[in-house]
Amino acid sequence: MQGKNEEGDGSMMILFKILAGLALLIFASLLSLLFEGIDRIFHARMQSRLGPPLFQPFYDILKLLGKENIVPRRAIPWAFNGAPWVAAATALMVVLYVPMGSLQPILGGHGDLILIIYLLGLSAVAMAVGGFSSGSIYANVGAQREMVLMMSYELPLAAVVTSLAWFAYRSGMPGAPFSLETYVSMPVWSVAGWTGIFGILGLLVALLAVVPAETGKVPMDIAEAKTEILEGLICEYSGRNLAMFKVAFSLRTLAMCAVVVSLFFPWSLGRLLGLNGVLFFVADFLFFWVKVLVVQVLGVTIIRTTFGRFKIWQASRLYWYQVGGLAAAGMVLLTLDVIL
Amino acid sequence: MAVGAGKTYKVPIGPVHVGLKEPITAWLDVDGERIVDATIRPGAIHRGIEFMARERNPIQVIYLAERICGICSFTHIECFVRAVEDAAGISVPKRAQYIRTIVLELERIHSHVLWAGVACYTFGYDSAFNLGMILREKVMDVLEVLTGNRVNYGTGTIGGVRRDITPKVEKVLRDMITFYKNEFDLFYNVATDDPITMARMRNVGVLSPEDAVKYCALGPTVRGSGHRVDLRWSQPYEAYGELDVQPVVPQDLTGEVYGDVYDRFLVRVLEVYQSLEIIEKCLDDLPEGDLMWEPNLPKLLNYLKRADGTGVSSIEGPRGDDTHVVKLTGGEENVTWWKVRAPTYANGVSWPIMFRNNDLADAPLIINSVDPCISCMERMLVTEKKTGSKQVVTRAELLNRCREKTRKVMGA
């Protein structure tokens, strides 16, 4: 009797997870486009322009869905058509592994930070594959740049994640060191001493420096540089495929900012206000997305308004030396914090 | 990205490209991201303006000359008008000379501000581009107050100008000078303090002082390579003789000449300040007097019909020296022939030198760095109708053809 009940609970749980996951995926896609609209308005206002309507990204996507999907004669059709789906799907999957406020991730326990980094990486690789299979010289150059850029920013990214995990493990934070929930349930700042806080600060800046490259925004929009190589790897894309790429770009921005928030700014509003029950979860959920928006505005919008575009070798050098160095410094400081 | 593999690929920039304002093709031989060599293929926007001029009288040609270029429209008519005045022996009243100088300098400000914005846009610095566009709006408004138009001013005529600087206009002009002296600093600082601007412009598209002379670069391009070349200084025309204009060179500010895009940027920015000073001086010294040598149009046309001779004029446009040559025949109402040599024609020759050993990412910036005006430049296009092929005439061939033509004309 009891066994049967558990079985029923199990299947109910799976059904619930599928439904909740689907709802979350749709919610995240819409939210990422909304955030892009906010980003564009902020960007425009900072340049003393009026900017597009808030829902412009939605109109763009809807328009693109209705347009003809052109596959160039020299393209490899299966790779060309498949790449946007893989890019969007992998970026979308990240959302399932990120805890939102006090809500556990839908697939929590089935994947951790390493998986998230791989998913974001896979999304970038899919874009590069799309570029390589376009049969256009500009797309090819763009895809090469994307690959080089990826190799450059993966180093500081990996350094940040592994240092944090090692610190979490050694300082005895409860939970698995690579799991995002560990960092959400207990802010990493609270267990560190003074040296450790400076170390974490270094890691935070290093991670924020990676955000523009991960999301393909100025000054790291080198693979999509429109005044240089005509939008680079999405040069040949149109219609539905381009819409998928646009969604993938917005989702990557959202996912990356969500990871930054989960790792470094996990504070809960509900706990602060002493709420409980449903209200607690709702407040935390909303607060989480507000934090993501703030990180996106600070880490993406303001950066892309203030700077021009790097050249690929300059970006590579920046990530390997300056940002890599910063991450390494953070790592050393965290080590000192644990040892001393 | 295999740099140094020895195998090169051809990448076309243009004819239509986001980073370019006008159609021109640069075929780049690229090894990885590095440009090994470049071939420039113009010829996409030839309109046959000089041919059209042969069916028009000099006054009508003014409006044709104005449409050679969108930015240096007054430079072209000024140059044409001076060539006609040279051919017909017309002297321009002093006040008209000063007003022409003011409009020329306004146009230089317009051109340089626009260019600086577009240069920033080329390497993805959209905020500076938008700031540049806002700044540009002011000078366009002032030109509208002065002439009634924002792009093709229609304000110059043979023997003078058609619009006077009234006290009201003078006030607007002085307001503009104050506005730019305050606001342009902001743009200058935004553009020069930005580390990425420095990284993108320094040591990019280098044109050495020797090469600049060898390939006959003009205007801000040659000044960016450190040479003191400026027709307003070396061969003053209109009111410039009384204004003591000094050529702007980068070494005066930085003490060093790189000859790169950054130096060209610097020269243009400093020239905006210089232009503001020139306008201020012109307004202070503006003499009283007539606006035109002959205000009666039929009378002027009648005089021009009787005029006979060839007139040459060369002036310092925003992009370099603009040269017009006009032939008028006595008894003929129309212009017999007219030749335009815009500065881009000379500056474009040094593109392949600038491209060498730069990155593919720099290509549009290098093309833009000479402030190209392709529609100014394209005066000739050789096409073979039967095969539809476009070919480039070599120098030797051109020389031969010229000799043949001369012999034919001489009846030999």
Side-chain angles (χ1 to χ4, degrees), chain B residues 313-353:
Chain B
S313 146
S314 200
I315 66 167
E316 183 75 29
R319 292 130 196 232
D321 0 338
D322 187 16
T323 307
H324 284 218
V325 188
V326 175
K327 164 86 174 159
L328 300 176
T329 313
E332 292 268 338
E333 198 171 321
N334 294 344
V335 171
T336 315
W337 53 258
W338 169 42
K339 173 84 190 100
V340 179
R341 208 288 317 263
T344 309
Y345 195 74
N347 285 336
V349 179
S350 37
W351 270 329
I353 318 284

Side-chain angles (χ1 to χ4, degrees), chain A residues 77-230:
Chain A
W78 63 269
F80 184 82
N81 286 321
W85 289 97
V86 177
T90 44
L92 205 50
M93 273 176 72
V94 176
V95 179
L96 299 178
Y97 295 101
V98 178
M100 285 154 201
S102 302
L103 283 178
Q104 293 297 310
I106 306 281
L107 291 179
H110 297 282
D112 50 21
L113 259 174
I114 296 175
L115 183 74
I116 289 174
I117 290 177
Y118 269 89
L119 282 174
L120 286 171
L122 186 59
S123 172
V125 168
M127 282 182 178
V129 167
F132 278 127
S133 60
S134 299
S136 150
I137 190 132
Y138 300 112
N140 215 304
V141 171
Q144 287 180 13
R145 288 181 178 186
E146 178 78 36
M147 295 309 289
V148 172
L149 194 63
M150 233 183 95
M151 286 179 231
S152 316
Y153 70 67
E154 292 289 316
L155 175 81
L157 188 61
V160 168
V161 169
T162 43
S163 326
L164 274 179
W166 185 81
F167 180 72
Y169 173 66
R170 286 299 296 268
S171 61
M173 278 166 66
F178 274 111
S179 165
L180 265 181
E181 292 130 83
T182 312
Y183 301 92
V184 172
S185 56
M186 190 174 193
V188 74
W189 308 89
S190 62
V191 287
W194 274 110
T195 35
I197 283 183
F198 280 112
I200 297 169
L201 212 55
L203 294 182
L204 170 64
V205 175
L207 189 62
L208 282 177
V210 172
V211 171
E214 189 75 75
T215 56
K217 291 275 165 59
V218 175
M220 299 298 169
D221 66 332
I222 307 166
E224 298 91 24
K226 75 175 166 188
T227 48
E228 290 164 13
I229 47 168
L230 310 169

Side-chain angles (χ1 to χ4, degrees), chain B residues 13-182:
Chain B
I13 299 289
V16 177
H17 191 281
V18 182
L20 304 178
K21 290 179 284 178
E22 283 178 279
I24 186 161
T25 316
W27 281 95
L28 307 175
D29 292 317
V30 173
D31 178 8
E33 281 262 339
R34 193 134 286 251
I35 301 167
V36 180
D37 208 352
T39 316
I40 307 290
R41 297 304 294 268
I45 194 168
H46 177 63
R47 293 164 297 167
I49 281 191
E50 285 157 331
F51 184 75
M52 285 153 79
R54 300 176 71 174
E55 292 169 359
R56 287 167 167 81
N57 69 38
I59 296 289
Q60 288 170 321
V61 174
I62 293 175
Y63 301 97
L64 200 59
E66 200 158 51
R67 278 147 185 83
I68 289 177
C69 175
I71 307 294
C72 34
S73 54
F74 193 75
T75 307
H76 278 294
I77 69 164
E78 163 76 8
C79 203
F80 170 75
V81 155
R82 280 180 58 80
V84 171
E85 285 158 3
D86 182 29
I90 294 172
S91 61
V92 181
K94 204 85 193 257
R95 189 175 174 86
Q97 287 194 337
Y98 269 81
I99 294 175
R100 281 182 181 184
T101 309
I102 289 172
V103 181
L104 278 174
E105 292 308 319
L106 284 174
E107 196 167 73
R108 196 182 310 278
I109 293 172
H110 179 193
S111 176
H112 284 353
V113 172
L114 177 69
W115 178 83
V118 169
C120 291
Y121 173 70
T122 315
F123 59 89
Y125 195 1
D126 288 7
S127 303
F129 168 72
N130 281 304
L131 195 55
M133 289 299 119
I134 293 166
L135 290 176
R136 172 200 181 213
E137 208 54 23
K138 183 77 185 172
V139 70
M140 289 183 87
D141 287 347
V142 169
L143 280 163
E144 194 180 339
V145 170
L146 174 59
T147 69
N149 294 308
R150 291 165 72 82
V151 179
N152 292 323
Y153 320 117
T155 197
T157 188
I158 292 163
V161 287
R162 296 175 57 228
R163 295 277 183 274
D164 195 8
I165 292 191
T166 56
K168 216 171 165 184
V169 175
E170 191 184 331
K171 193 187 164 294
V172 173
L173 274 167
R174 287 194 192 277
D175 284 351
M176 181 204 77
I177 291 167
T178 338
F179 172 82
Y180 274 121
K181 281 191 173 160
N182 298 331

Side-chain angles (χ1 to χ4, degrees), chain B residues 383-402:
Chain B
T383 51
E384 182 76 48
K385 253 194 176 161
K386 277 178 212 153
T387 57
S389 73
K390 287 176 191 168
Q391 61 174 73
V392 175
V393 182
T394 62
R395 184 164 167 249
E397 202 181 333
L398 198 65
L399 200 65
N400 266 337
R401 285 192 196 184
C402 289

Side-chain angles (χ1 to χ4, degrees), chain B residues 236-252:
Chain B
Y237 49 94
E238 304 300 357
Y240 290 114
E242 294 152 33
L243 294 171
D244 186 33
V245 181
Q246 290 297 322
V248 176
V249 279
Q251 64 262 40
D252 289 350

